[in-house]
Amino acid sequence: MSQIQSVRARSVWDSRGCPTIEAEVRLTSGVTGRAIAPAGASTGAGEAKELRDGGARLKGLGVDLAVSAVHEVIAPALMGMDIHDQSGIDAAICRADGTADKSRVGGNSTTAVSLACMWAASRHAKLPLWRYLSGSDEVGLPLPEIQIFGGGAHAKGSVDLQDFLAIPNGAKSFTQSLEWVAEVYHAAGKALTQQGKNLGVADEGGFWPQFGSNEGAIEALVTAIESAGFQPGRDVSIGLDLASTQYHDKGVYHWRSENRRFDRDQLLDLYNRWAHDYPIISMEDGFAEDDIEGMRAMTQVLGHRLQIIGDDFFVTHAPRIEERARLGACNAVLIKPNQVGTVSETKQAFDVAQRLQIDSIISARSGETEDVSIVHMAVGWGVPQLKVGSFSRSERMAKWNEGLRIEQDLGRCLAYPRAHLFPWLAKP
Ligand code: 2PG
Ligand code: MG
C-alpha cells in the first residue's frame, strides 16, 4: 500500500494555446503520477463545469482558481489515502467539491487530479497503466475513428457538421488502421490543395476546408478514400459527428453555411438518404442534447445499419445513459473523462453501456495536450473504439503513437477485438 503524500497543480497550455490544469500526485513511496485536463469547444450543457478565472486576462480562460482549488480543497481531502482505492479517492474529490456539476473546484481540477492518481497507482504497481487497469483480462487495441475534415465549432466559417471521420473498419490491426488512414488523410489534403480549398488546419488537426455544402465534404471524403486505393465501406468507412446541439434552437436545425433549416423529420430523412448513398457507418449527436424524440426516431429508423452515438446527449453520465438508452435513444456512447470529472464516474458510464449492450467510444477533446491517459483507459478497460481527432499535430499523434507502443507490447494479431463492431457490415 502507498499513500498520497501531496497533490500539486499548475497551469500549463493546451493545443489551442489556452491554459489548462496539470496535477501531480506524490506518494509516500516517492512515486509520482501526472495528468492534464483537456477542454471541449462544443460542450454539452450537462458536462462537469470547468473552473476558469474570468476577467480580461487570457480571455478569461486562466486556471489559477482551479490550481488554488486543488491545493486548498482537493489535496487536503486526499492526504493519506491509499492510492489503489481509486473509487474512494474519487468519492473524496466529489465530497470535497460538494456540487452536482463539480462547479466549486471545477471539473478540470477533478479530472486532472483523478487521472494523476490513476497514473501514480499504476506506477506504484510497476505496471503499464493499461495493464494496471485490465488486471489479468485479455485486452486489445481499439478501432480508431480519425477526423479528416474539421467543421462546426472547431473551424468557424467552414461547414456546420463538426467531424468528417475515416473509420478503417477493414484493417487487421491498429498499426494497419493508422497506415490506411494516413493514406486517406494525405490524399484528402492533396485534393483540397489542388482545388484551392485548403484553408489550413482545424482545432483537432483535420483539414479546414472550404466546401460549398456539408454533403460536399462527405463526397470529398469518399473520393479521398478511393484515391488512396481503398474500397469505401469495405476497407475504410465514414463517421460523422454532426454536433447538432450547436445549430439547434427550439426544434429547428439551422445550417448557416448553406442557410438551410430542418425540422426533426426533414433531418431524419436526410440522414436516411446519406446512410443509403454514402459509406457512412457512424453518426454522432445527430439530434441535439435534449431532443430525445429525435434520437429515438433516428435509432429506430437507422439503428440496424448505423452506429448512433450520443456525446453531448449523454455527457458520460451513467444515470443519463441508463435512462435515455433504455428509451431506445442511441446504440453507442461517447466516453469523455472530463465530461463527468473523475475516473470512477467515467468507468461507471462505460460499465452502464456494457450492461445495456451498447457500444462505446472513448474520446479526446478539441483542446488537448500530450496526455495519453485515454489510450490506456481504452485498452485497459476494453473500450472498443477510440476517437482522438485527426492525424496531425502532436497532441493527437502522441495518442496514436502510444497505441502503437501498446500494440507492439501485446503482439499485433491478438490485439484487435473489432469482430463484434458494425454487425451489419459483411466481415472480410
Ligand atoms: C466532440 C469533441 C471531439 P469537443 O464533439 O466529440 O471532436 O469536440 O471536445 O469540442 O466537444
Ligand atoms: Mg461530439
Side-chain angles (χ1 to χ4, degrees):
M1 172 164 138
S2 189
Q3 295 163 326
I4 297 177
Q5 186 176 63
S6 68
V7 184
R8 280 202 300 169
R10 60 181 74 90
S11 175
V12 295
W13 299 95
D14 76 11
S15 55
R16 283 192 273 249
C18 296
T20 186
I21 183 167
E22 176 172 83
E24 190 165 329
V25 173
R26 177 173 290 274
L27 308 182
T28 45
S29 60
V31 165
T32 60
R34 204 173 69 192
I36 310 178
S42 68
T43 49
E47 294 193 22
K49 296 289 173 291
E50 291 183 322
L51 183 58
R52 301 268 183 188
D53 297 342
R57 179 179 156 263
L58 295 168
K59 296 185 290 177
L61 296 175
V63 292
D64 291 355
L65 289 175
V67 168
S68 302
V70 170
H71 292 156
E72 289 162 22
V73 183
I74 299 180
L78 302 187
M79 283 312 102
M81 288 194 76
D82 174 8
I83 196 60
H84 297 298
D85 181 14
Q86 182 81 45
S87 56
I89 289 169
D90 290 336
I93 292 173
C94 292
R95 271 198 308 278
D97 172 73
T99 67
D101 57 4
K102 314 272 191 307
S103 52
R104 179 175 174 220
V105 300
N108 43 350
S109 314
T110 64
T111 300
V113 173
S114 183
L115 292 172
C117 288
M118 179 179 73
W119 279 101
S122 72
R123 295 183 73 185
H124 181 256
K126 296 193 170 53
L127 289 171
L129 177 54
W130 60 267
R131 179 50 81 197
Y132 176 74
L133 295 175
S134 72
S136 54
D137 289 358
E138 202 171 299
V139 295
L141 266 290
L143 175 69
E145 297 189 359
I146 304 184
Q147 186 201 63
I148 304 297
F149 305 128
H154 301 163
K156 294 230 170 62
S158 175
V159 288
D160 307 85
L161 308 194
Q162 184 177 285
D163 294 326
F164 298 84
L165 304 133
I167 305 180
N169 53 289
K172 299 277 184 291
S173 66
F174 190 76
T175 302
Q176 190 175 50
S177 291
L178 296 189
E179 193 172 316
W180 285 14
V181 174
E183 302 277 16
V184 173
Y185 177 80
H186 292 299
K190 188 170 161 198
L192 283 181
T193 304
Q194 279 169 353
Q195 295 156 14
K197 291 179 178 169
N198 189 357
L199 300 186
V201 168
D203 273 9
E204 296 194 286
F207 296 106
W208 183 320
Q210 189 177 48
F211 289 123
S213 68
N214 290 280
E215 191 162 343
I218 300 174
E219 283 163 4
L221 184 47
V222 177
T223 306
I225 294 169
E226 285 168 344
S227 57
F230 301 109
Q231 188 175 318
R234 187 195 66 186
D235 304 323
V236 181
S237 301
I238 292 179
L240 301 174
D241 182 356
L242 300 121
S244 66
T245 304
Q246 296 288 314
Y247 45 81
H248 171 257
D249 188 30
K250 299 186 187 79
V252 178
Y253 292 84
H254 181 196
W255 289 353
R256 283 176 185 77
S257 72
E258 300 178 37
N259 198 20
R260 286 173 81 185
R261 289 180 170 76
F262 305 87
D263 65 20
R264 192 182 284 149
D265 293 343
Q266 290 165 331
L267 203 54
L268 186 51
D269 283 348
L270 181 74
Y271 293 161
N272 209 348
R273 181 173 69 73
W274 280 0
H276 184 262
D277 290 354
Y278 300 105
I280 296 173
I281 58 173
S282 179
M283 288 191 188
E284 177 180 330
D285 279 352
F287 287 89
E289 59 188 353
D290 284 327
D291 193 348
I292 297 174
E293 280 318 304
M295 277 297 206
R296 286 180 68 188
M298 184 175 180
T299 309
Q300 198 169 15
V301 174
L302 290 169
H304 64 288
R305 59 192 286 195
L306 272 190
Q307 173 167 266
I308 297 173
I309 308 172
D311 169 14
D312 297 349
F313 189 74
F314 289 131
V315 287
T316 315
H317 192 247
R320 184 155 156 161
I321 296 167
E322 175 107 45
E323 185 189 326
R324 292 185 167 192
R326 280 196 188 283
L327 290 172
C330 300
N331 58 20
V333 182
L334 206 74
I335 306 275
K336 292 168 164 171
N338 80 323
Q339 277 186 328
V340 67
T342 62
V343 170
S344 305
E345 289 164 287
T346 307
K347 180 69 166 43
Q348 279 162 22
F350 174 58
D351 288 345
V352 167
Q354 281 211 301
R355 181 156 46 76
L356 298 176
Q357 295 185 317
I358 59 179
D359 267 312
S360 302
I361 304 92
I362 199 160
S363 172
R365 302 306 306 248
S366 47
E368 269 293 337
T369 67
E370 65 272 27
D371 190 286
V372 294
S373 305
I374 58 166
V375 183
H376 287 261
M377 292 158 95
V379 176
W381 290 347
V383 185
Q385 296 172 74
L386 176 65
K387 181 184 172 203
V388 160
S390 193
F391 209 67
S392 76
R393 309 203 328 184
S394 290
E395 81 278 6
R396 314 290 152 190
M397 305 321 288
K399 296 173 183 57
W400 300 130
N401 290 342
E402 189 75 352
L404 292 174
R405 293 181 195 106
I406 298 172
E407 185 168 62
Q408 190 177 39
D409 283 351
L410 280 172
R412 191 172 296 174
C413 295
L414 288 173
Y416 211 60
R418 64 178 171 79
H420 72 286
L421 296 172
F422 316 117
W424 58 88
L425 292 177
K427 294 292 173 208

